[in-house]
Amino acid sequence: MGLGSMGYPIAARLLRRAPNLAVWNKSESVASKHATAYGSRAVAFDDMASAGVVFMCLPSTDESGQLCRALAAIATGPITFVDLSSGNFEDSRRIEDDMRTKNCRYIDSPVSGGPAGASEGIVTSMVGAPELDRPIRELVETYSKNIVYCGGVGSGNAIKCVNNYLNVSHLMLASDALLGLKSKGIDPATALKAINTSSGRSLQTEVRIPTEVMTGQYNYGFKLQLMRKDVLNAKSIVQEGLFFDAMTKPLVVPEHAASECDYTAIVHDLEKSWKVTLP
């Protein structure tokens, strides 16, 4: 359920273990396109009520909670929901409580690795459970290189939102430093060559900034509005730390709440402050 930039390729990977996979998407045309491309079965929402296992990849736990509750209300038998959505860990626990009363099971299992990683089957799954039953684990293995059991329900989403907080913070910190160098007449590309063979390197300096920012593409495949959502989900966990308010100030402004641009475009906000551009 949910065939966005991550769900679409993950559903294709699931077909390797589940050749009779049914797919549903809010836009029926997307589900039909997936069925034509990969041989899945595009179905109506109510048809999912007979499923034993439902994988969900949606924008947030708001959407996944609504769909879990609606489907559980008409389910013909117990359903195990595996929720790949990046969401709020407290919402995850509330969904799980509700599903238990419906004789269903809910597991948060957000993923990290982007659309390319999903297509290649190498994402990391952060599972909000001590373990997975073998049949479900084998399905998760079709799209995951790493499966990390994070604890009880909600722990997967707690770690995922902190992961994304670190991700975008590293991007902003590195970009801010490079803009400072450029303001002093030092070439950012040269600086990256030095940094990326030294102790200051990170995924952002090695991959995201050279690939998305320095090229001007800003097209990694993860929307700024979704990154903002994940950072706000991390707030209750990390806001008492020393850096949260300063690091997130450019990110959580209201105008980014519905932004369709890639999350790497947050660098533009830093460029405006510096009155300097990186590329």
Side-chain angles (χ1 to χ4, degrees):
M1 301 184 74
L3 299 171
S5 60
M6 294 293 286
Y8 197 92
I10 284 174
R13 301 287 307 187
L14 283 167
L15 280 160
R16 298 178 178 218
R17 282 274 182 182
N20 198 36
L21 184 76
V23 294
W24 176 89
N25 192 71
K26 188 175 181 180
S27 295
E28 295 179 9
S29 61
V30 176
S32 297
K33 179 182 176 182
H34 194 278
T36 300
Y38 296 106
S40 55
R41 294 184 301 114
V43 300
F45 179 81
D46 287 2
D47 294 329
M48 287 285 188
S50 60
V53 181
V54 173
F55 284 78
M56 316 178 78
C57 196
L58 301 159
S60 73
T61 38
D62 288 339
E63 288 88 347
S64 55
Q66 291 170 14
L67 294 183
C68 281
R69 293 177 177 104
L71 203 57
I74 60 172
T76 58
I79 299 176
T80 295
F81 293 96
V82 183
D83 192 359
L84 282 62
S85 316
S86 295
N88 182 280
F89 73 100
E90 293 173 324
D91 285 348
S92 298
R93 292 170 180 172
R94 284 188 282 267
I95 297 169
E96 196 269 341
D97 287 342
D98 289 347
M99 292 304 99
R100 195 185 306 114
T101 66
K102 301 292 186 181
N103 198 29
C104 293
R105 186 185 184 195
Y106 174 86
I107 303 168
D108 58 310
S109 184
V111 296
S112 179
S119 296
E120 296 171 23
I122 58 172
V123 300
T124 291
S125 289
M126 306 176 194
V127 181
E131 61 181 354
L132 291 173
D133 298 337
R134 181 177 175 180
I136 296 178
R137 188 190 74 237
E138 290 178 345
L139 290 168
V140 174
E141 287 172 348
T142 64
Y143 59 82
S144 304
K145 181 179 180 181
N146 300 297
I147 300 176
V148 181
Y149 297 108
C150 300
V153 171
S155 58
N157 268 326
I159 294 172
K160 174 61 192 296
C161 67
V162 168
N163 175 81
N164 279 12
Y165 162 65
L166 292 172
N167 177 318
V168 72
S169 294
H170 294 167
L171 172 66
M172 290 190 291
L173 180 62
S175 298
D176 194 53
L178 291 171
L179 286 163
L181 286 170
K182 188 170 182 180
S183 74
K184 301 301 183 184
I186 298 168
D187 177 39
T190 301
L192 281 172
K193 288 180 182 178
I195 291 166
N196 286 335
T197 55
S198 304
S199 58
R201 67 187 184 276
S202 67
L203 171 69
Q204 304 303 319
T205 63
E206 291 183 317
V207 180
R208 210 69 77 235
I209 293 174
T211 303
E212 305 300 336
V213 177
M214 299 301 290
T215 62
Q217 293 189 68
Y218 301 99
N219 193 34
Y220 169 68
F222 189 67
K223 292 181 180 179
L224 181 58
Q225 59 173 289
L226 297 178
M227 181 61 81
R228 179 183 186 274
K229 176 260 300 180
D230 287 348
V231 168
L232 289 174
N233 281 334
K235 183 175 181 178
S236 64
I237 301 170
V238 298
Q239 65 181 336
E240 298 304 320
L242 297 176
F243 305 108
F244 181 82
D245 288 340
M247 291 305 301
T248 58
K249 187 176 180 180
L251 181 68
V252 299
V253 293
E255 53 263 39
H256 292 329
S259 175
E260 291 293 319
C261 66
D262 192 76
Y263 92 94
T264 55
I266 191 64
V267 174
H268 292 321
D269 291 55
L270 304 179
E271 290 173 331
K272 289 175 185 175
S273 296
W274 278 100
K275 297 181 175 57
V276 174
T277 61
L278 275 182

